[in-house]
Short mmCIF file of all heavy atoms in Angstrom, two decimals:
data_model
loop_
_atom_site.label_atom_id
_atom_site.label_comp_id
_atom_site.label_asym_id
_atom_site.label_seq_id
_atom_site.Cartn_x
_atom_site.Cartn_y
_atom_site.Cartn_z
N THR U 12 -1.99 23.58 -17.27
CA THR U 12 -2.54 23.24 -18.59
C THR U 12 -2.40 21.76 -18.94
O THR U 12 -2.75 21.36 -20.05
CB THR U 12 -1.81 24.07 -19.68
OG1 THR U 12 -0.41 23.90 -19.52
CG2 THR U 12 -2.18 25.54 -19.61
N CYS U 13 -1.89 20.96 -18.02
CA CYS U 13 -1.56 19.56 -18.34
C CYS U 13 -2.78 18.64 -18.18
O CYS U 13 -3.24 18.36 -17.07
CB CYS U 13 -0.43 19.13 -17.41
SG CYS U 13 -0.27 17.39 -17.19
N ALA U 14 -3.31 18.17 -19.33
CA ALA U 14 -4.51 17.34 -19.30
C ALA U 14 -4.22 15.95 -18.71
O ALA U 14 -5.08 15.34 -18.07
CB ALA U 14 -5.07 17.21 -20.70
N TYR U 15 -3.01 15.46 -18.93
CA TYR U 15 -2.65 14.14 -18.39
C TYR U 15 -2.59 14.17 -16.85
O TYR U 15 -2.83 13.17 -16.19
CB TYR U 15 -1.32 13.65 -18.97
CG TYR U 15 -1.41 13.41 -20.46
CD1 TYR U 15 -1.03 14.38 -21.37
CD2 TYR U 15 -1.92 12.21 -20.95
CE1 TYR U 15 -1.14 14.17 -22.74
CE2 TYR U 15 -2.04 11.99 -22.31
CZ TYR U 15 -1.65 12.98 -23.19
OH TYR U 15 -1.78 12.76 -24.54
N MET U 18 -5.94 13.54 -15.62
CA MET U 18 -6.29 12.12 -15.73
C MET U 18 -5.69 11.32 -14.58
O MET U 18 -6.35 10.42 -14.03
CB MET U 18 -5.82 11.55 -17.07
CG MET U 18 -6.58 12.08 -18.27
SD MET U 18 -8.37 11.89 -18.18
CE MET U 18 -8.53 10.11 -18.25
N LYS U 21 -7.72 12.05 -11.58
CA LYS U 21 -9.05 11.44 -11.72
C LYS U 21 -8.96 9.93 -11.44
O LYS U 21 -9.79 9.37 -10.73
CB LYS U 21 -9.54 11.68 -13.15
CG LYS U 21 -10.98 11.35 -13.38
CD LYS U 21 -11.38 11.72 -14.80
CE LYS U 21 -12.70 11.11 -15.19
NZ LYS U 21 -13.81 11.46 -14.33
N ASP U 36 3.28 25.55 -11.83
CA ASP U 36 3.02 26.93 -12.27
C ASP U 36 2.96 27.84 -11.05
O ASP U 36 3.42 28.98 -11.10
CB ASP U 36 1.69 27.02 -13.05
CG ASP U 36 1.85 26.51 -14.48
OD1 ASP U 36 2.87 26.88 -15.11
OD2 ASP U 36 0.99 25.76 -14.95
N GLN U 42 10.43 23.02 -9.71
CA GLN U 42 10.58 22.33 -10.99
C GLN U 42 11.82 21.43 -11.00
O GLN U 42 11.78 20.31 -11.50
CB GLN U 42 10.73 23.39 -12.07
CG GLN U 42 10.26 22.98 -13.41
CD GLN U 42 10.06 24.22 -14.27
OE1 GLN U 42 9.12 24.98 -14.06
NE2 GLN U 42 10.94 24.42 -15.20
N GLY U 50 14.01 12.58 -13.73
CA GLY U 50 14.98 12.59 -14.83
C GLY U 50 14.35 13.06 -16.12
O GLY U 50 14.93 12.95 -17.19
N GLN U 51 13.10 13.56 -16.05
CA GLN U 51 12.42 13.96 -17.28
C GLN U 51 11.84 15.36 -17.13
O GLN U 51 11.49 15.80 -16.03
CB GLN U 51 11.30 12.97 -17.60
CG GLN U 51 11.85 11.58 -17.77
CD GLN U 51 10.97 10.70 -18.62
OE1 GLN U 51 9.94 11.11 -19.11
NE2 GLN U 51 11.40 9.48 -18.80
N LEU U 52 11.75 16.03 -18.27
CA LEU U 52 11.21 17.39 -18.29
C LEU U 52 9.74 17.30 -18.68
O LEU U 52 9.31 17.82 -19.70
CB LEU U 52 11.97 18.23 -19.30
CG LEU U 52 13.45 18.48 -18.96
CD1 LEU U 52 14.22 18.90 -20.18
CD2 LEU U 52 13.57 19.50 -17.86
N ALA U 53 8.99 16.58 -17.89
CA ALA U 53 7.59 16.34 -18.24
C ALA U 53 6.75 16.19 -16.98
O ALA U 53 7.27 15.78 -15.93
CB ALA U 53 7.48 15.08 -19.10
N VAL U 54 5.50 16.55 -17.07
CA VAL U 54 4.53 16.27 -16.01
C VAL U 54 3.39 15.46 -16.63
O VAL U 54 3.25 15.49 -17.86
CB VAL U 54 3.96 17.57 -15.39
CG1 VAL U 54 4.92 18.20 -14.43
CG2 VAL U 54 3.51 18.55 -16.46
N TYR U 72 0.80 9.79 -17.78
CA TYR U 72 -0.43 9.09 -17.42
C TYR U 72 -0.29 7.67 -17.95
O TYR U 72 -0.63 7.39 -19.09
CB TYR U 72 -1.62 9.81 -18.06
CG TYR U 72 -2.94 9.10 -17.93
CD1 TYR U 72 -3.47 8.78 -16.69
CD2 TYR U 72 -3.67 8.75 -19.06
CE1 TYR U 72 -4.68 8.14 -16.58
CE2 TYR U 72 -4.89 8.11 -18.96
CZ TYR U 72 -5.38 7.80 -17.71
OH TYR U 72 -6.59 7.15 -17.60
N GLY L 48 -6.48 7.47 -23.28
CA GLY L 48 -5.63 8.62 -22.98
C GLY L 48 -6.37 9.63 -22.13
O GLY L 48 -6.80 9.32 -21.03
N VAL L 49 -6.55 10.81 -22.69
CA VAL L 49 -7.17 11.90 -21.95
C VAL L 49 -8.63 12.05 -22.35
O VAL L 49 -8.94 12.09 -23.55
CB VAL L 49 -6.44 13.22 -22.26
CG1 VAL L 49 -7.09 14.39 -21.56
CG2 VAL L 49 -4.99 13.12 -21.87
N ILE L 50 -9.54 12.15 -21.37
CA ILE L 50 -10.94 12.43 -21.69
C ILE L 50 -10.99 13.82 -22.32
O ILE L 50 -10.46 14.78 -21.75
CB ILE L 50 -11.82 12.36 -20.42
CG1 ILE L 50 -11.78 10.94 -19.82
CG2 ILE L 50 -13.25 12.78 -20.73
CD1 ILE L 50 -12.45 10.82 -18.47
N ALA L 140 10.86 13.27 -23.85
CA ALA L 140 10.53 13.79 -22.51
C ALA L 140 11.75 14.29 -21.74
O ALA L 140 11.65 14.62 -20.56
CB ALA L 140 9.75 12.76 -21.67
N ARG L 141 12.89 14.29 -22.37
CA ARG L 141 14.08 14.87 -21.73
C ARG L 141 14.67 15.92 -22.68
O ARG L 141 15.86 16.12 -22.74
CB ARG L 141 15.11 13.77 -21.42
CG ARG L 141 14.65 12.88 -20.28
CD ARG L 141 15.64 11.82 -19.94
NE ARG L 141 15.81 10.89 -21.04
CZ ARG L 141 16.98 10.52 -21.52
NH1 ARG L 141 18.10 11.02 -21.03
NH2 ARG L 141 17.05 9.65 -22.50
N HIS L 144 9.63 16.76 -27.19
CA HIS L 144 8.26 16.73 -26.70
C HIS L 144 7.25 16.85 -27.84
O HIS L 144 7.56 17.38 -28.90
CB HIS L 144 8.03 17.89 -25.73
CG HIS L 144 9.03 17.94 -24.61
ND1 HIS L 144 8.84 17.34 -23.39
CD2 HIS L 144 10.26 18.51 -24.54
CE1 HIS L 144 9.90 17.54 -22.62
NE2 HIS L 144 10.78 18.25 -23.29
N THR L 148 1.26 21.99 -23.93
CA THR L 148 0.54 22.31 -22.69
C THR L 148 1.00 21.42 -21.54
O THR L 148 0.84 21.77 -20.38
CB THR L 148 -0.99 22.16 -22.86
OG1 THR L 148 -1.25 20.85 -23.37
CG2 THR L 148 -1.56 23.20 -23.79
N CYS L 149 1.57 20.25 -21.87
CA CYS L 149 2.05 19.35 -20.81
C CYS L 149 3.44 19.78 -20.33
O CYS L 149 3.68 19.91 -19.14
CB CYS L 149 2.16 17.91 -21.30
SG CYS L 149 0.71 17.29 -22.12
N ASP L 150 4.35 19.97 -21.26
CA ASP L 150 5.76 20.06 -20.89
C ASP L 150 6.38 21.44 -21.07
O ASP L 150 7.53 21.66 -20.70
CB ASP L 150 6.56 19.03 -21.71
CG ASP L 150 5.98 17.63 -21.58
OD1 ASP L 150 5.33 17.37 -20.55
OD2 ASP L 150 6.14 16.81 -22.50
N ALA L 152 6.08 24.19 -19.53
CA ALA L 152 6.48 24.90 -18.31
C ALA L 152 7.93 24.64 -17.91
O ALA L 152 8.51 25.42 -17.15
CB ALA L 152 5.54 24.52 -17.18
N PHE L 153 8.51 23.55 -18.40
CA PHE L 153 9.91 23.26 -18.05
C PHE L 153 10.89 24.15 -18.80
O PHE L 153 12.09 24.07 -18.59
CB PHE L 153 10.23 21.78 -18.34
CG PHE L 153 9.64 20.87 -17.31
CD1 PHE L 153 8.39 20.32 -17.49
CD2 PHE L 153 10.34 20.57 -16.14
CE1 PHE L 153 7.84 19.48 -16.53
CE2 PHE L 153 9.79 19.75 -15.18
CZ PHE L 153 8.53 19.20 -15.37
N TYR L 154 10.39 24.97 -19.70
CA TYR L 154 11.30 25.77 -20.54
C TYR L 154 11.18 27.27 -20.25
O TYR L 154 11.40 28.09 -21.12
CB TYR L 154 11.06 25.43 -22.02
CG TYR L 154 11.50 24.01 -22.29
CD1 TYR L 154 10.59 22.97 -22.19
CD2 TYR L 154 12.83 23.70 -22.53
CE1 TYR L 154 11.00 21.65 -22.36
CE2 TYR L 154 13.25 22.40 -22.71
CZ TYR L 154 12.32 21.38 -22.62
OH TYR L 154 12.74 20.08 -22.78
N ARG L 155 10.87 27.59 -18.99
CA ARG L 155 10.86 29.00 -18.59
C ARG L 155 12.23 29.60 -18.79
O ARG L 155 13.22 29.08 -18.26
CB ARG L 155 10.49 29.12 -17.11
CG ARG L 155 9.05 29.20 -16.87
CD ARG L 155 8.71 29.56 -15.44
NE ARG L 155 7.29 29.35 -15.26
CZ ARG L 155 6.75 28.19 -14.93
NH1 ARG L 155 7.52 27.16 -14.69
NH2 ARG L 155 5.44 28.05 -14.82
#
Side-chain angles (χ1 to χ4, degrees):
Chain U
T12 52
C13 158
Y15 295 95
M18 291 305 294
K21 191 176 166 58
D36 282 316
Q42 208 163 288
Q51 301 204 1
L52 295 161
V54 282
Y72 172 58
Chain L
V49 177
I50 298 172
R141 289 181 295 130
H144 306 268
T148 54
C149 310
D150 307 334
F153 284 92
Y154 293 92
R155 272 190 191 87

